[in-house]
Amino acid sequence: MVGLAQSNARVSTLMRNLESSPYLQNAELVEIKAVTDRNQRANEFSLNISLKGLDPTATGKPALPGAAVPATAPTSRDKVMQAITK
């Protein structure tokens, strides 16, 4: 996903909302940078997101609904939160 946001905090909020979705998981920030768009400062961002219930290592079939999702390392959202609260 690529987009523009008013601030790093808005990107962080988006990532939290995506993570709380029943259909999406693993919101990972790829890049965020300050840009000027139509004479206004903005933050251009790039995110990677996964669909819940899909196992990319499987045979291409979705996992059963309610199947456990393996634990993952700290997300990029955590890194963003640390960076913007310094």
Side-chain angles (χ1 to χ4, degrees), residues 32-76:
I32 189 166
K33 61 184 175 180
V35 295
T36 302
D37 183 46
R38 299 182 190 127
N39 294 325
Q40 292 189 0
R41 295 188 64 194
N43 292 295
E44 183 177 82
F45 65 90
S46 170
L47 300 173
N48 287 333
I49 286 246
S50 300
L51 292 173
K52 283 186 182 175
L54 297 180
D55 183 0
T57 61
T59 61
K61 296 179 182 176
L64 295 174
V69 177
T72 59
T75 64
S76 293

Side-chain angles (χ1 to χ4, degrees), residues 1-5 10-21 23-33 43-51 76:
M1 170 187 297
V2 177
L4 291 173
R10 296 281 186 175
V11 175
S12 179
T13 300
L14 172 64
M15 292 178 72
R16 278 193 302 276
N17 289 339
L18 292 171
E19 284 284 339
S20 68
S21 165
Y23 306 106
L24 303 171
Q25 67 183 6
N26 300 330
E28 178 182 324
L29 182 64
V30 175
E31 179 181 33
I32 189 166
K33 61 184 175 180
N43 292 295
E44 183 177 82
F45 65 90
S46 170
L47 300 173
N48 287 333
I49 286 246
S50 300
L51 292 173
S76 293

